[in-house]
Amino acid sequence: MASNLFKHFINGQFVASADGRDFEKRRPTDNAVIGRVAEGRAPEIDAAVTAAKAAMKGPWGSMTTEARTALLYKVADEITRRFEDFVEAEMADTGQPRSVMEHAFIPRGAANFKIFADVVKNVPTEAFQMATPDGAGALNYAIRKPKGVIGVICPWNAPLLLMTWKVAPALACGNTVVVKPSEESPGTATLLGEVMNAVGVPPGVYNVVHGLGPDSAGEALTRHKDVAAITFTGETRTGAAIMKAAADGIRDVSFELGGKNAGIVFADCDFDAAIEGISRSAFLNCGQVCLGTERVYVQRPIFEKFVAALKAKAEAMTPGTSLGPLISQEHRSKVLGYYKLAAEEGATVVTGGGVPTLEGDLANGAWVQPTIWTGLPENARVMREEIFGPCCHITPFDTEDEVVAWANDTDYGLSTTIWTTNLSCAHRMAAAIEVGITWINSWFLRDLRTPFGGSKQSGIGREGGVHSLEFYTELRNVCVKL
Ligand code: NAD
């Protein structure tokens, strides 16, 4: 079993926990144990943070931007060279279909390193000349400095993509990192350690400590006094706990949190494109996408036709090929709890609502049926709480004002997807819906240089392009009296 142990990566070395503590990792497709994961606690976090702090003073700290960003290009190329290893590792952890890994999640993981290397090389800082009473004037200019050791805490739904979205800009800006991957997805964070060593990233720059959240590696990382800032993707209530920990020492936080996103389909839309788009936004990754659409609003003239077409799409999905399982048995219990609750709250189950019948080993996996409901009021819990499964509720609407009010009546504010051929309507909606990202006639499409983040309880701050530099660097002003 020891050979199947996912170890920590601290100061360039793979190590078990000092006390030998670990936990098992099961594959979601069939519930088989695929290995054990070292469980780090305060001692491992302290070792990793100490290594990361020391690395800031070593060759990494004095490296030029050109040399550092060239190294990050090599990281991206090495991920691409080991593409199949990353695909396999992430498939084992999350059970999602190979096509999703190959076309989206793993390539994006590699791309993150190149895009942020380019951003860091090309973004200028500001300068101001000012008058002084003696007439000589003064020159102010800003410089960016790394913050130091960044704590990176990640979820399991797109492990490599979401982790590198934070690690890449942190390193591009010259920081060092201690990553706490999700307990459900130890694979690709560990593999990335091998990549870092292979291309010559100095020891201590990238560290990984596996473990759980409360009373474990996650909490220890947020409480460590030498962690300068914490970047986190996960549930809103976890964000609240981390924010409390970060208050000690006044550490900065960047949060990408939960959502309960609305998809809005107008009667004048390109119908087939809208069905394709909403089907992806509701069911991709088995509905485990923070940007996914659990509330769909469809204009009344096409409501019946839309419900029937989305039902056909859902029923055409095949477990194991076009649809993966949920991440774990525990998460399946949560999602099935909402399936039950929907029925209790009076929903009409258009399709799904249960567990598919599967043969052989797959019968033990964390599978659920893609599910569509209609008929719930806006105040139903199923309409207000993030489920994070392959499901959506469809409500008919008549007017723009009505649907804007419903879409915004939520504590969350992450994303929305709007389907219409009326350009003016699209722009009005984009301005009216209170979210960090609005898609018009698309979903999950994004230039990585753009700001990404959530409003309300969906997040704090923006990452992406130059916006990541705001979080991962300290902007200093230098004032020179001439
Ligand atoms: P989670 O909050 O349960 O866990 C995320 C990470 O936090 C894990 O590594 C976990 O071990 C750690 N953690 C838990 N409690 C902690 C604590 N007290 N201190 C420190 N660390 C702690 O989230 P999850 O179930 O892994 O992920 C799903 C959630 O993530 C959903 O709510 C989803 O919407 C959200 N998400 C948001 C985005 C976004 O960009 N906004 C992207 C992906 C996922």
Side-chain angles (χ1 to χ4, degrees):
M1 194 53 81
S3 62
N4 274 348
L5 181 69
F6 293 93
K7 293 181 177 167
H8 313 300
F9 182 68
I10 300 176
N11 208 20
Q13 306 213 315
F14 289 96
V15 293
S17 286
D19 60 3
R21 192 186 289 263
D22 60 24
F23 55 90
E24 67 184 18
K25 165 61 194 164
R26 288 175 182 266
R27 185 166 52 204
T29 46
D30 60 4
N31 209 31
V33 176
I34 58 167
R36 300 194 67 82
V37 185
E39 188 195 345
R41 298 201 165 196
E44 288 74 27
I45 288 291
D46 189 49
V49 174
T50 303
K53 197 175 170 194
M56 290 294 301
K57 303 220 180 297
W60 180 254
S62 52
M63 214 177 265
T64 61
T65 303
E66 286 67 25
R68 200 169 63 235
T69 51
L71 207 44
L72 297 185
Y73 259 70
K74 286 189 187 167
V75 171
D77 291 341
E78 181 67 5
I79 294 173
T80 306
R81 193 183 72 74
R82 296 193 59 185
F83 194 76
E84 188 54 29
D85 295 341
F86 277 91
V87 168
E88 291 282 338
E90 198 129 305
M91 279 176 67
D93 276 354
T94 68
Q96 294 309 310
R98 172 170 283 275
S99 58
V100 179
M101 297 301 144
E102 287 184 344
H103 295 127
F105 290 3
I106 304 302
R108 258 289 301 278
N112 282 335
F113 283 97
K114 291 194 174 176
I115 192 102
F116 286 109
D118 292 345
V119 168
V120 163
K121 274 189 294 194
N122 293 310
V123 171
T125 52
E126 66 215 273
F128 290 99
Q129 288 190 36
M130 63 184 284
T132 54
D134 64 3
L139 173 66
N140 293 259
Y141 64 92
I143 53 171
R144 289 191 183 278
K145 289 286 177 186
K147 279 189 173 158
V149 181
I150 307 289
V152 181
I153 301 179
C154 308
W156 43 260
N157 57 325
L160 182 72
L161 183 160
L162 292 169
M163 177 187 65
T164 54
W165 176 244
K166 294 169 177 302
V167 168
L171 299 191
C173 291
N175 302 283
T176 57
V177 296
V178 177
V179 179
K180 209 301 276 173
S182 168
E183 47 274 41
E184 297 290 354
S185 54
T188 46
T190 310
L191 262 185
L192 192 58
E194 293 179 18
V195 166
M196 296 289 174
N197 278 351
V199 304
V201 171
V205 171
Y206 170 80
N207 304 275
V208 177
V209 179
H210 295 293
L212 310 173
D215 299 322
S216 184
E219 187 177 338
L221 182 58
T222 62
R223 296 203 176 279
H224 199 291
K225 67 177 177 40
D226 289 333
V227 170
I230 301 162
T231 178
F232 167 73
T233 301
E235 284 189 29
T236 295
R237 64 163 182 253
T238 310
I242 292 175
M243 203 165 176
K244 284 180 189 146
D248 274 337
I250 318 293
R251 275 91 49 73
D252 202 0
V253 293
S254 174
F255 284 167
E256 293 172 356
L257 307 175
K260 187 73 182 178
N261 312 304
I264 302 173
V265 183
F266 285 89
D268 64 12
C269 70
D270 174 336
F271 187 83
D272 292 344
I275 286 292
E276 187 61 36
I278 295 290
S279 160
R280 282 182 68 234
S281 71
F283 304 133
L284 183 80
N285 215 29
C286 201
Q288 302 163 118
V289 180
C290 55
L291 306 158
T293 306
E294 292 186 359
R295 298 183 294 148
V296 183
Y297 299 94
V298 178
Q299 214 166 16
R300 204 172 298 275
I302 61 164
F303 178 75
E304 301 295 340
K305 184 181 165 198
F306 187 95
V307 172
L310 199 67
K311 174 179 191 282
K313 271 278 189 194
E315 291 175 356
M317 299 188 88
T318 320
T321 49
S322 49
L323 187 72
L326 294 169
I327 188 68
S328 63
Q329 297 292 326
E330 189 190 2
H331 188 51
R332 181 165 80 158
S333 300
K334 177 185 158 190
V335 171
L336 289 176
Y338 278 104
Y339 283 15
K340 185 163 168 277
L341 178 65
E344 288 164 9
E345 289 187 312
T348 300
V349 181
V350 175
T351 186
V355 172
T357 308
L358 295 172
E359 304 292 329
D361 291 345
L362 294 186
N364 302 321
W367 305 92
V368 292
Q369 291 175 322
T371 294
I372 301 171
W373 303 288
T374 56
L376 284 177
E378 287 299 305
N379 63 359
R381 278 182 56 204
V382 166
M383 297 290 280
R384 305 199 70 81
E385 298 173 15
E386 183 184 51
I387 300 170
F388 225 53
C391 53
C392 65
H393 178 275
I394 315 181
T395 308
F397 74 91
D398 293 300
T399 66
E400 267 180 49
D401 287 349
E402 175 183 49
V403 78
V404 165
W406 285 339
N408 285 340
D409 182 17
T410 166
D411 293 336
Y412 294 109
L414 193 51
S415 73
T416 186
T417 170
I418 293 163
W419 296 82
T420 175
T421 51
N422 179 335
L423 203 57
S424 300
C425 166
H427 287 297
R428 276 195 303 273
M429 296 297 287
I433 309 288
E434 297 157 354
V435 287
I437 179 162
T438 297
W439 278 288
I440 310 285
N441 297 327
S442 59
W443 178 77
F444 211 55
L445 174 70
R446 206 162 61 81
D447 186 316
L448 301 181
R449 293 169 295 189
T450 57
F452 179 81
S455 325
K456 303 185 196 171
Q457 293 188 23
S458 288
I460 293 184
R462 294 290 179 271
E463 296 196 30
V466 61
H467 308 282
S468 292
L469 270 51
E470 298 302 325
F471 181 71
Y472 294 106
T473 61
E474 205 69 69
L475 194 57
R476 296 187 195 161
N477 186 55
V478 180
C479 180
V480 185
K481 174 74 174 62
L482 300 175

